[in-house]
Amino acid sequence: RGLSVGVSLDSPDSILERIHIGDTSNGIQGGERSFMVYQSNLFDEVSSPVRREVANRSFSGKVLNRIDNDVENGKLEIKEKSICNNMLITVHNKALLSGIAYCISSCSMILVNKYVLSSYNFKAGISLMLYQNFVAVVVVSILSFFGVVSTEPLTLRLIKVWLPVNVIFVGMLITSMLSLKYLNVAMVTVLKNVTNVITAVGEMYIFNRHHVTRVWTALLLMIVSAVSGGITDLSFNATGYTWQIINCFLTASYSLTLRRIMDTAKQVTKSGNLDEFSMVLLNNTLSLPLGILLVLLFNEVDYLSRTPLLQLPAFWMVTTLSGFLGLAISFTSMWFLHKTSATTYSLVGSLNKIPLSVAGILFFKVPTSLENIASIFFGLLAGVFFARTKMQEKSQS
């Protein structure tokens, strides 16, 4: 709309006409309406091609005069600044929206898993992991089929390269489920800081990477908070702590192994690249046969055949929601990383543990003491201090 007859989309006249129509004093909608009325009257009065061309030139001349007047009056510069400001606000809004979406999905995933395992007293953690991964595979496959996302085909060479990473990935998910069943959410978030310690030591020995003194200070504070949190935990459970420590080692191993195998995996793909969507599909697809094997090995089939929970529609709704939330974490984290940076992502992830811990204590009515709350808060602050120190270390390097 708003282009005169005989004017191409790429011509200067058409650009000037669009600027003029978008900047009328009555707003965009009023400008379009006034021009449509003008255009209608023009077609009624002009019948020959010669007069039509004269009318077009006359209209373009009027537009040029108005643009010149705007430049002389300083209005064009104000309009350009206004457009730049609007674009800047839009970028900030998208970054804020992606950060909020990431925080909500991350917190919700842990709380929903805790609700399924504790409130429903569901004892088949491996089966829950298997169902969540199945939901992720179905959703990503549907999105890939309709062209919403692009994924790499799962070739035999790619599966062979990725299989060691996937074994660690499955172990990481299962131990996370088992520790969350026995421990409260706040202690799980604090104990997860031990993963940073193991990862830092692994980087030093495997990648010969040395950290500054402030990083080691932050790691020491994390260890102190984890030990003090365990000592003051009124609902201490040795089984839960054992599973969580194993989870920390597996999570650190997954992070370190992923860095080494990533380059090799890219070389065996058809496109020479392996994006996040492909990794989500690859990890969750390969976890299905391994998950089924573990379900049979730990005899969860017998429990699933006897539990009445599988007959409750509400239970299926919650478990399916947990599967969507697991996938949402992948999508929102990629969105958040795209809109901000890795350092901001790391810092927000550390800050995100604070409301998560508070929500876990309040929702599940965890028995606590002042000493335990202080150690938890100390551990969360240590995590934030670690993230900020890593940001400074990265900027200096």
Side-chain angles (χ1 to χ4, degrees), residues 332-378:
T332 54
S333 61
M334 286 184 287
W335 184 26
F336 189 36
L337 274 171
H338 178 68
K339 294 300 178 183
T340 54
S341 63
T343 53
T344 305
Y345 174 83
S346 176
L347 183 59
V348 171
S350 299
L351 292 171
N352 193 34
K353 293 179 180 180
I354 297 176
L356 175 62
S357 300
V358 175
I361 293 174
L362 295 178
F363 289 167
F364 299 101
K365 300 178 180 179
V366 179
T368 58
S369 62
L370 183 61
E371 295 82 4
N372 185 244
I373 293 177
S375 63
I376 291 172
F377 186 69
F378 179 75

Side-chain angles (χ1 to χ4, degrees), residues 64-339:
L64 285 170
N65 290 334
R66 293 201 178 188
I67 292 297
D68 291 338
N69 292 333
D70 285 346
V71 174
E72 291 176 1
N73 296 330
K75 294 180 180 178
L76 193 59
E77 184 179 356
I78 296 174
K79 292 169 187 173
E80 290 178 352
K81 289 182 179 179
S82 177
I83 292 172
C84 292
N85 290 335
N86 289 336
M87 291 176 64
L88 188 63
I89 292 173
T90 302
V91 171
H92 286 315
N93 288 342
K94 288 184 178 179
L96 178 62
L97 183 61
S98 62
I100 293 173
Y102 166 70
C103 291
I104 292 175
S105 60
S106 178
C107 291
S108 300
M109 177 66 179
I110 296 177
L111 293 175
V112 169
N113 279 344
K114 178 64 176 177
Y115 180 74
V116 172
L117 295 170
S118 297
S119 298
Y120 278 104
N121 196 24
F122 188 65
K123 298 179 181 179
I126 302 176
S127 299
L128 179 60
M129 179 275 300
L130 181 65
Y131 181 69
Q132 290 174 348
N133 292 359
F134 174 74
V135 171
V137 170
V138 171
V139 174
V140 175
S141 299
I142 292 175
L143 293 177
S144 178
F145 178 79
F146 287 102
V148 179
V149 299
S150 59
T151 56
E152 288 291 328
L154 304 183
T155 61
L156 184 60
R157 292 180 60 191
L158 181 60
I159 292 174
K160 287 182 179 179
V161 171
W162 199 262
L163 191 59
V165 181
N166 186 256
V167 172
I168 301 175
F169 173 74
V170 172
M172 180 180 68
L173 294 181
I174 292 175
T175 52
S176 177
M177 290 282 187
L178 294 174
S179 64
L180 199 60
K181 178 177 176 59
Y182 297 102
L183 300 180
N184 63 75
V185 175
M187 282 310 305
V188 168
T189 56
V190 172
L191 291 173
K192 280 183 179 293
N193 286 334
V194 179
T195 302
N196 297 325
V197 180
I198 301 171
T199 304
V201 175
E203 286 178 339
M204 186 175 64
Y205 285 100
I206 297 175
F207 300 104
N208 196 25
R209 181 178 178 180
H210 299 282
H211 302 284
V212 296
T213 306
R214 286 174 297 176
V215 171
W216 292 112
T217 303
L219 295 174
L220 179 62
L221 293 176
M222 291 179 182
I223 295 175
V224 171
S225 66
V227 173
S228 61
I231 294 174
T232 58
D233 188 5
L234 297 181
S235 57
F236 181 87
N237 187 289
T239 303
Y241 275 80
T242 302
W243 283 121
Q244 184 55 50
I245 295 300
I246 296 174
N247 176 259
C248 290
F249 277 96
L250 289 174
T251 304
S253 301
Y254 178 74
S255 176
L256 297 171
T257 307
L258 188 63
R259 297 181 190 180
R260 302 190 65 176
I261 294 185
M262 183 74 72
D263 294 333
T264 307
K266 290 180 179 179
Q267 295 174 2
V268 299
T269 58
K270 291 185 177 181
S271 65
N273 188 25
L274 192 65
D275 58 10
E276 289 82 357
F277 290 102
S278 298
M279 284 190 288
V280 170
L281 182 62
L282 183 61
N283 261 335
N284 288 279
T285 301
L286 294 182
S287 70
L288 296 182
L290 185 58
I292 294 173
L293 180 63
L294 291 173
V295 167
L296 297 174
L297 185 64
F298 284 87
N299 197 25
E300 287 191 357
V301 177
D302 182 57
Y303 168 78
L304 294 174
S305 62
R306 292 183 290 102
T307 180
L309 291 174
L310 299 183
Q311 300 176 3
L312 299 177
F315 175 78
W316 282 106
M317 290 179 61
V318 174
T319 52
T320 304
L321 175 63
S322 67
F324 277 101
L325 287 174
L327 190 58
I329 293 176
S330 302
F331 290 157
T332 54
S333 61
M334 286 184 287
W335 184 26
F336 189 36
L337 274 171
H338 178 68
K339 294 300 178 183

Side-chain angles (χ1 to χ4, degrees), residues 4 13 52-64:
S4 59
D13 288 349
R52 193 171 302 167
E53 179 65 24
V54 172
N56 288 336
R57 292 182 180 179
S58 175
F59 179 76
S60 298
K62 292 179 180 179
V63 173
L64 285 170

Side-chain angles (χ1 to χ4, degrees), residues 15-33:
I15 297 173
L16 292 175
E17 286 176 23
R18 279 178 280 178
I19 294 174
H20 169 66
I21 292 165
D23 293 333
T24 53
S25 59
N26 294 327
I28 296 177
Q29 186 176 3
E32 290 181 344
R33 289 180 179 176

